[in-house]
Amino acid sequence: MFNRIRRLRQVAAIASISSLVAGCGVLSSDSTEEQDPIVVGTTAAPSTLDPAASWDSSWELFRNIYQTLLSYPSGATAPEPDAADNCRFTDTSNLKYECELREGLTFSDGHALDAKAVKYSIDRIRKINVNGGPAGLLGSLDRVQVLSDREVVFHLNKADATFPFVLATPAMSIVDPEDYPEDKLREGETIVGSGPYTLSSYDDGNQAELVKNDSYKGIAERKNSAVTIRYFQDSPTMVAGLRDKKLDVAFRGLAADDIVDIQADDEDELQLIEGSGTEINYLVFNPKDSMAGKSAVRKAIAQVVDRPAIAHKVYKDTVEPLYSMVPKGLTGHTTGFFDDYGEPDTAKAREILGDAGITTPVPLTLWYTSDRYGSATKAEFEELKSQLDGSGLFKITLKSRPWKTYVGGYQKGEYPVFGRGWFPDFPDADNFIAPFVGEQNALGTPYLVPKITETLLPNSRAQSDRANVVKDFEDAQRILVDDVRLLPLWQGRQYVAASEEISGAERALDPSTIMMVGELSRKTSW
């Protein structure tokens, strides 16, 4: 998935060759006995420490501290048992999914992790039912049954071949029934989990300190003994920390300018690892807003927006234009928005508004989050404003909030138009359509599309062979293009910047681009 695109500094390469000639190599160490923790920087701070509330980048932390029944070993594209010893559909109709847990599982507080804890954790998500939270992932689940201390069965209300992928998301993290309330979110800045690491300390929005969990039983690699994750407001500050050796790795939120600078600097003692990605960025229109709720306004915006300009001017071609909600590289990808709208055309947009009797310029407020998707977000929305205002058809006001308050705003329907990014829960086209439709979805705004939710998604989920679902996803995307409730803008690539002393960064991202910090280690000399 990942390829190194940066050479290490030439002097370092010569020194390495010399040491090999002398009989003393520089090798990657598998030892976990590190004296100092590996320090990872990111701009994606958790919004919560409770899995029942999270359908966002809080998963980065959860993957490494909590445990799920299934997860992804390094290099895997499909989930494999983690807390479970084995899992399988036990019928031909994909309606009963059974898992048997590993023997002797315990939480970090010493309490036993059994099938009852699994049932409690899943039922709890649905009972608390946070708006915009992960309960939306469980639409196909009817009930959870405990057969024994180690056996649990998930009874589905409709066939769902993607259900194992859902169980592998950090949203389905297993929590201790004695520490996590049944009907409300857990408070405080501690975590009780059973994952590869334990959370030794946490400073909200600033830092999380992880130490190896010696009682962990699962498939995750741990090539270090401790990791510190530091949270930044912007990319330049984060990259400065990397250059000053205060960080070992920087990931999630690297700005285009910083990526280009690292690529161009032959004297830099940094690695830059690039991989194909399925991250997408898009606009959401509020159907209850007096202007954004009008189909003609949404279509006119779709006709004006210049995606290539955003990709080139703002992101220095580190992203590429996207014309459907399903990104390139996944079965079912289309180019519906390009097929319908083609190149940006102000005259066509004016005609759309005129035919609908809408007076121009149309006043609209566009909202974005100031600290979630990287420091280029502000520049992206300034470019969108420039394009829309420049057409003479719109009068755009820009507003922003930090992520923690931004989420509450769109969940309450406060924003006429707002920006979102999406990192996939799992690598399937289903995960770029299902989360955004239905009464409860990841947008916090109901989007009722019976044709998709009652026909196309059920049809696709009945197919274990995902090559057979192309027509269903093409039809679903046709509906999304016609509605323009969601407007895809760009698809990202994945970049990890790391010190030359670090190994494993190219293996550290799972298929949903969540970092598995246990893959990181220091190179040692001997």
Short mmCIF file of all heavy atoms in Angstrom, two decimals, residues 359-392:
data_model
loop_
_atom_site.label_atom_id
_atom_site.label_comp_id
_atom_site.label_asym_id
_atom_site.label_seq_id
_atom_site.Cartn_x
_atom_site.Cartn_y
_atom_site.Cartn_z
N THR A 359 -33.55 34.69 -7.02
CA THR A 359 -32.85 35.95 -7.20
C THR A 359 -31.39 35.83 -6.78
O THR A 359 -31.07 35.20 -5.76
CB THR A 359 -33.52 37.07 -6.37
OG1 THR A 359 -34.90 37.17 -6.75
CG2 THR A 359 -32.83 38.40 -6.58
N THR A 360 -30.51 36.40 -7.57
CA THR A 360 -29.07 36.40 -7.26
C THR A 360 -28.62 37.79 -6.85
O THR A 360 -29.25 38.79 -7.22
CB THR A 360 -28.27 35.92 -8.47
OG1 THR A 360 -28.51 36.79 -9.58
CG2 THR A 360 -28.67 34.50 -8.86
N PRO A 361 -27.54 37.90 -6.07
CA PRO A 361 -26.73 36.79 -5.55
C PRO A 361 -27.41 36.09 -4.37
O PRO A 361 -28.07 36.74 -3.56
CB PRO A 361 -25.42 37.46 -5.12
CG PRO A 361 -25.84 38.86 -4.75
CD PRO A 361 -26.94 39.22 -5.71
N VAL A 362 -27.23 34.79 -4.30
CA VAL A 362 -27.83 33.97 -3.24
C VAL A 362 -26.95 34.06 -1.99
O VAL A 362 -25.76 33.71 -2.05
CB VAL A 362 -27.95 32.50 -3.69
CG1 VAL A 362 -28.50 31.65 -2.55
CG2 VAL A 362 -28.82 32.39 -4.93
N PRO A 363 -27.49 34.52 -0.86
CA PRO A 363 -26.68 34.58 0.37
C PRO A 363 -26.59 33.20 1.03
O PRO A 363 -27.60 32.52 1.21
CB PRO A 363 -27.46 35.56 1.25
CG PRO A 363 -28.89 35.39 0.81
CD PRO A 363 -28.85 35.07 -0.67
N LEU A 364 -25.38 32.79 1.37
CA LEU A 364 -25.17 31.49 2.02
C LEU A 364 -24.00 31.59 2.99
O LEU A 364 -23.00 32.27 2.70
CB LEU A 364 -24.86 30.40 1.00
CG LEU A 364 -26.01 29.59 0.39
CD1 LEU A 364 -25.46 28.57 -0.60
CD2 LEU A 364 -26.83 28.89 1.47
N THR A 365 -24.10 30.89 4.11
CA THR A 365 -22.99 30.78 5.04
C THR A 365 -22.41 29.38 4.96
O THR A 365 -23.13 28.40 5.09
CB THR A 365 -23.45 31.07 6.48
OG1 THR A 365 -23.99 32.39 6.55
CG2 THR A 365 -22.28 30.95 7.45
N LEU A 366 -21.10 29.29 4.72
CA LEU A 366 -20.38 28.02 4.67
C LEU A 366 -19.56 27.88 5.94
O LEU A 366 -18.80 28.78 6.31
CB LEU A 366 -19.45 27.96 3.45
CG LEU A 366 -20.04 27.43 2.14
CD1 LEU A 366 -21.22 28.28 1.68
CD2 LEU A 366 -18.96 27.38 1.05
N TRP A 367 -19.73 26.74 6.60
CA TRP A 367 -19.02 26.46 7.84
C TRP A 367 -17.95 25.40 7.63
O TRP A 367 -18.12 24.48 6.83
CB TRP A 367 -20.00 25.94 8.89
CG TRP A 367 -20.84 27.00 9.54
CD1 TRP A 367 -21.99 27.56 9.05
CD2 TRP A 367 -20.61 27.62 10.81
NE1 TRP A 367 -22.50 28.49 9.93
CE2 TRP A 367 -21.67 28.54 11.04
CE3 TRP A 367 -19.64 27.47 11.79
CZ2 TRP A 367 -21.76 29.31 12.20
CZ3 TRP A 367 -19.72 28.24 12.95
CH2 TRP A 367 -20.77 29.15 13.14
N TYR A 368 -16.85 25.56 8.36
CA TYR A 368 -15.80 24.54 8.35
C TYR A 368 -15.21 24.43 9.76
O TYR A 368 -15.35 25.33 10.59
CB TYR A 368 -14.71 24.88 7.33
CG TYR A 368 -13.93 26.15 7.62
CD1 TYR A 368 -12.73 26.12 8.33
CD2 TYR A 368 -14.38 27.38 7.15
CE1 TYR A 368 -12.02 27.28 8.60
CE2 TYR A 368 -13.69 28.55 7.40
CZ TYR A 368 -12.50 28.50 8.13
OH TYR A 368 -11.81 29.65 8.38
N THR A 369 -14.56 23.30 10.04
CA THR A 369 -13.91 23.12 11.33
C THR A 369 -12.47 23.60 11.25
O THR A 369 -11.77 23.35 10.26
CB THR A 369 -13.96 21.66 11.80
OG1 THR A 369 -13.26 21.53 13.04
CG2 THR A 369 -13.36 20.72 10.79
N SER A 370 -12.04 24.29 12.28
CA SER A 370 -10.73 24.95 12.25
C SER A 370 -9.58 24.05 12.67
O SER A 370 -8.41 24.43 12.50
CB SER A 370 -10.76 26.17 13.18
OG SER A 370 -11.10 25.79 14.50
N ASP A 371 -9.86 22.82 13.19
CA ASP A 371 -8.76 22.05 13.77
C ASP A 371 -8.88 20.55 13.56
O ASP A 371 -8.28 19.78 14.31
CB ASP A 371 -8.66 22.34 15.27
CG ASP A 371 -9.92 21.93 16.03
OD1 ASP A 371 -10.91 21.56 15.39
OD2 ASP A 371 -9.88 21.99 17.27
N ARG A 372 -9.60 20.10 12.53
CA ARG A 372 -9.78 18.66 12.37
C ARG A 372 -9.04 18.10 11.16
O ARG A 372 -8.35 17.09 11.25
CB ARG A 372 -11.27 18.35 12.26
CG ARG A 372 -11.64 16.94 11.82
CD ARG A 372 -11.12 15.84 12.73
NE ARG A 372 -11.49 16.02 14.12
CZ ARG A 372 -11.33 15.10 15.06
NH1 ARG A 372 -10.81 13.94 14.75
NH2 ARG A 372 -11.65 15.36 16.30
N TYR A 373 -9.17 18.73 10.01
CA TYR A 373 -8.70 18.12 8.76
C TYR A 373 -7.39 18.73 8.24
O TYR A 373 -7.00 18.46 7.12
CB TYR A 373 -9.77 18.24 7.68
CG TYR A 373 -11.09 17.63 8.10
CD1 TYR A 373 -12.24 18.40 8.15
CD2 TYR A 373 -11.17 16.29 8.46
CE1 TYR A 373 -13.45 17.85 8.54
CE2 TYR A 373 -12.38 15.74 8.86
CZ TYR A 373 -13.51 16.51 8.90
OH TYR A 373 -14.71 15.96 9.29
N GLY A 374 -6.75 19.53 9.06
CA GLY A 374 -5.49 20.12 8.62
C GLY A 374 -5.63 21.61 8.38
O GLY A 374 -6.73 22.15 8.18
N SER A 375 -4.50 22.30 8.37
CA SER A 375 -4.49 23.76 8.30
C SER A 375 -4.89 24.28 6.93
O SER A 375 -5.16 25.48 6.78
CB SER A 375 -3.10 24.28 8.67
OG SER A 375 -2.10 23.61 7.94
N ALA A 376 -4.96 23.41 5.90
CA ALA A 376 -5.36 23.86 4.57
C ALA A 376 -6.87 24.05 4.45
O ALA A 376 -7.35 24.59 3.46
CB ALA A 376 -4.88 22.89 3.51
N THR A 377 -7.63 23.60 5.45
CA THR A 377 -9.09 23.69 5.36
C THR A 377 -9.55 25.13 5.21
O THR A 377 -10.45 25.44 4.41
CB THR A 377 -9.75 23.06 6.61
OG1 THR A 377 -9.30 21.72 6.75
CG2 THR A 377 -11.26 23.08 6.48
N LYS A 378 -8.94 26.03 5.96
CA LYS A 378 -9.32 27.45 5.85
C LYS A 378 -9.07 27.95 4.43
O LYS A 378 -9.94 28.61 3.84
CB LYS A 378 -8.53 28.29 6.86
CG LYS A 378 -8.85 29.77 6.78
CD LYS A 378 -8.02 30.58 7.79
CE LYS A 378 -8.35 32.06 7.69
NZ LYS A 378 -7.52 32.87 8.63
N ALA A 379 -7.91 27.63 3.87
CA ALA A 379 -7.60 28.07 2.51
C ALA A 379 -8.55 27.44 1.50
O ALA A 379 -8.92 28.08 0.50
CB ALA A 379 -6.15 27.71 2.17
N GLU A 380 -8.95 26.20 1.74
CA GLU A 380 -9.91 25.54 0.84
C GLU A 380 -11.23 26.29 0.81
O GLU A 380 -11.81 26.53 -0.26
CB GLU A 380 -10.13 24.10 1.29
CG GLU A 380 -11.20 23.37 0.50
CD GLU A 380 -11.48 21.98 1.04
OE1 GLU A 380 -10.72 21.49 1.90
OE2 GLU A 380 -12.49 21.38 0.60
N PHE A 381 -11.73 26.67 1.98
CA PHE A 381 -13.02 27.37 2.02
C PHE A 381 -12.89 28.80 1.51
O PHE A 381 -13.86 29.35 0.95
CB PHE A 381 -13.60 27.30 3.43
CG PHE A 381 -14.41 26.05 3.64
CD1 PHE A 381 -13.78 24.84 3.83
CD2 PHE A 381 -15.79 26.09 3.59
CE1 PHE A 381 -14.51 23.67 3.99
CE2 PHE A 381 -16.53 24.93 3.74
CZ PHE A 381 -15.90 23.70 3.94
N GLU A 382 -11.73 29.40 1.67
CA GLU A 382 -11.53 30.72 1.06
C GLU A 382 -11.54 30.61 -0.46
O GLU A 382 -12.06 31.49 -1.15
CB GLU A 382 -10.21 31.32 1.56
CG GLU A 382 -10.27 31.76 3.02
CD GLU A 382 -8.92 32.17 3.57
OE1 GLU A 382 -7.89 31.85 2.92
OE2 GLU A 382 -8.88 32.82 4.65
N GLU A 383 -10.99 29.52 -0.99
CA GLU A 383 -11.02 29.29 -2.43
C GLU A 383 -12.47 29.04 -2.90
O GLU A 383 -12.88 29.54 -3.95
CB GLU A 383 -10.13 28.12 -2.81
CG GLU A 383 -10.21 27.66 -4.26
CD GLU A 383 -9.78 28.71 -5.27
OE1 GLU A 383 -9.07 29.67 -4.90
OE2 GLU A 383 -10.17 28.57 -6.46
N LEU A 384 -13.24 28.26 -2.14
CA LEU A 384 -14.65 28.04 -2.48
C LEU A 384 -15.42 29.36 -2.50
O LEU A 384 -16.21 29.62 -3.42
CB LEU A 384 -15.29 27.08 -1.48
CG LEU A 384 -14.98 25.60 -1.65
CD1 LEU A 384 -15.45 24.81 -0.42
CD2 LEU A 384 -15.64 25.04 -2.92
N LYS A 385 -15.18 30.19 -1.50
CA LYS A 385 -15.83 31.50 -1.44
C LYS A 385 -15.46 32.34 -2.67
O LYS A 385 -16.33 32.97 -3.29
CB LYS A 385 -15.44 32.23 -0.16
CG LYS A 385 -15.92 33.69 -0.09
CD LYS A 385 -15.51 34.33 1.24
CE LYS A 385 -15.71 35.84 1.20
NZ LYS A 385 -17.12 36.23 0.97
N SER A 386 -14.17 32.32 -3.02
CA SER A 386 -13.71 33.09 -4.17
C SER A 386 -14.40 32.62 -5.46
O SER A 386 -14.82 33.43 -6.29
CB SER A 386 -12.19 32.96 -4.30
OG SER A 386 -11.72 33.61 -5.46
N GLN A 387 -14.51 31.31 -5.62
CA GLN A 387 -15.16 30.76 -6.81
C GLN A 387 -16.64 31.14 -6.88
O GLN A 387 -17.14 31.57 -7.92
CB GLN A 387 -15.00 29.25 -6.84
CG GLN A 387 -13.59 28.76 -7.04
CD GLN A 387 -13.49 27.24 -7.02
OE1 GLN A 387 -14.49 26.53 -7.04
NE2 GLN A 387 -12.27 26.73 -6.96
N LEU A 388 -17.34 30.95 -5.75
CA LEU A 388 -18.79 31.21 -5.75
C LEU A 388 -19.10 32.70 -5.83
O LEU A 388 -19.99 33.12 -6.59
CB LEU A 388 -19.41 30.59 -4.50
CG LEU A 388 -19.33 29.05 -4.44
CD1 LEU A 388 -19.78 28.53 -3.08
CD2 LEU A 388 -20.17 28.43 -5.55
N ASP A 389 -18.37 33.51 -5.05
CA ASP A 389 -18.56 34.97 -5.15
C ASP A 389 -18.18 35.47 -6.53
O ASP A 389 -18.84 36.35 -7.11
CB ASP A 389 -17.71 35.69 -4.10
CG ASP A 389 -18.28 35.58 -2.70
OD1 ASP A 389 -19.41 35.08 -2.55
OD2 ASP A 389 -17.57 35.97 -1.74
N GLY A 390 -17.10 34.89 -7.08
CA GLY A 390 -16.62 35.33 -8.39
C GLY A 390 -17.60 35.07 -9.52
O GLY A 390 -17.54 35.73 -10.56
N SER A 391 -18.51 34.12 -9.32
CA SER A 391 -19.51 33.85 -10.35
C SER A 391 -20.57 34.94 -10.41
O SER A 391 -21.31 35.05 -11.40
CB SER A 391 -20.20 32.51 -10.06
OG SER A 391 -21.06 32.61 -8.92
N GLY A 392 -20.65 35.76 -9.35
CA GLY A 392 -21.68 36.78 -9.27
C GLY A 392 -23.04 36.23 -8.87
O GLY A 392 -24.00 37.00 -8.74
#
